[in-house]
């Protein structure tokens, strides 16, 4: 999109201009261009200036439909309903798959987020997990939640982890002693059930 002489110009990138898939489900802006998560062609690096498209993984995309992905320096975290949670190393092209054999939550990952310490958080249909490098930790204390089907995860500038379930919006905070608590910040608002 470009504004010139009080007119808006919109460039369309699709099959006709070299994009291998018209259905783009997720976009991340990175220093090396845009990263696009597509319906059938997987994850692509796209340079909007040159129009060049490079698949993240050479060859045919084999990981099925993804629910989210998150570029993280030389790694890309991918959540796939078919294959689980995938950690792809961009430097050597290797992929590590955390699937149902490693835990039921891996194939139900819906959302990914990165905190200020570099940890990757994953919200699944059964829990929330956090990575420390390539080690994954399930967060198993969810008081006062009854439902743990996590729809969205975000990390605020203060380091608190926010997540939503069918029960509403929750915040997980850790105090100076390392004790984690989960609260429902909207309980005193006009939206106490959210």
């Amino acid at each position: 999109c470009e504004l010139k002489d009080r007119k808006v110009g919109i460039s369309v990138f699709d099959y006709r201009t070299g994009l291998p898939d018209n259905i783009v489900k997720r976009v991340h802006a990175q220093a090396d261009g845009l990263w696009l998560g597509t319906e059938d062609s997987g994850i692509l690096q796209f340079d909007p200036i040159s129009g060049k498209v490079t698949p993240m993984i050479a060859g045919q995309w084999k990981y099925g439909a993804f629910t989210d992905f998150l570029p993280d320096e030389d790694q890309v975290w991918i959540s796939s309903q078919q294959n689980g949670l995938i950690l792809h190393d961009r430097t050597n092209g290797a992929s590590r798959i955390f699937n149902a054999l490693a835990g039921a939550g891996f194939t139900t990952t819906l959302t990914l987020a990165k905190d200020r310490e570099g940890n990757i958080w994953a919200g699944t249909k059964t829990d929330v997990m956090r990575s420390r490098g390539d080690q994954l930790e399930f967060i198993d204390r969810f008081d006062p939640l009854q439902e743990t089907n996590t729809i969205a995860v975000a990390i605020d500038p203060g380091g608190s982890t926010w997540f939503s379930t069918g029960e509403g919006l929750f915040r997980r905070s850790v105090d100076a002693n390392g004790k984690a608590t989960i609260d429902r910040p909207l309980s005193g608002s006009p939206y106490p059930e959210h």
Side-chain angles (χ1 to χ4, degrees), residues 9-184:
I10 297 176
S11 299
V12 176
F13 297 97
D14 59 13
Y15 283 129
R16 295 171 294 192
T17 58
L19 196 63
D21 191 340
N22 282 346
I23 302 173
V24 177
K25 296 167 57 176
R26 187 90 161 107
V27 177
H28 284 281
Q30 301 290 304
D32 56 357
L34 296 176
W35 284 85
L36 312 175
T38 66
E39 179 74 20
D40 296 319
S41 297
I43 299 170
L44 311 169
Q45 182 180 6
F46 175 64
D47 181 341
I49 306 293
S50 68
K52 182 180 177 185
V53 177
T54 308
M56 183 186 71
I57 297 174
Q60 184 71 27
W61 178 256
K62 60 184 178 187
Y63 297 107
F66 77 95
T67 54
D68 202 358
F69 78 99
L70 184 65
D72 181 33
E73 297 177 15
D74 289 336
Q75 299 179 325
V76 179
W77 289 86
I78 307 160
S79 59
S80 162
Q81 293 175 339
Q82 178 179 331
N83 287 286
L85 192 59
I86 302 156
L87 178 57
H88 179 75
D89 187 324
R90 293 173 51 197
T91 58
N92 64 17
S95 294
R96 182 172 177 193
I97 299 174
F98 303 91
N99 58 24
L101 298 176
F106 292 115
T107 56
T108 63
T109 302
L110 301 172
T111 183
L112 298 165
K114 181 178 178 179
D115 68 19
R116 65 183 179 191
E117 295 173 354
N119 298 310
I120 305 297
W121 290 79
T124 77
K125 288 185 178 183
T126 57
D127 45 39
V128 173
M129 59 184 139
R130 171 180 57 196
S131 79
R132 295 183 182 266
D134 64 353
Q135 301 298 311
L136 294 165
E137 167 192 17
F138 288 90
I139 307 301
D140 56 3
R141 186 178 166 277
F142 283 101
D143 298 332
L145 279 76
Q146 301 297 315
E147 178 192 338
T148 57
N149 180 6
T150 306
I151 300 163
V153 175
I155 314 301
D156 71 22
S160 293
T161 304
W162 293 78
F163 57 96
S164 64
T165 72
E167 289 183 52
L169 179 66
F170 297 87
R171 175 179 50 209
R172 181 180 187 269
S173 303
V174 179
D175 66 19
N177 297 322
K179 182 181 179 207
T181 57
I182 296 177
D183 68 326
R184 196 178 205 149

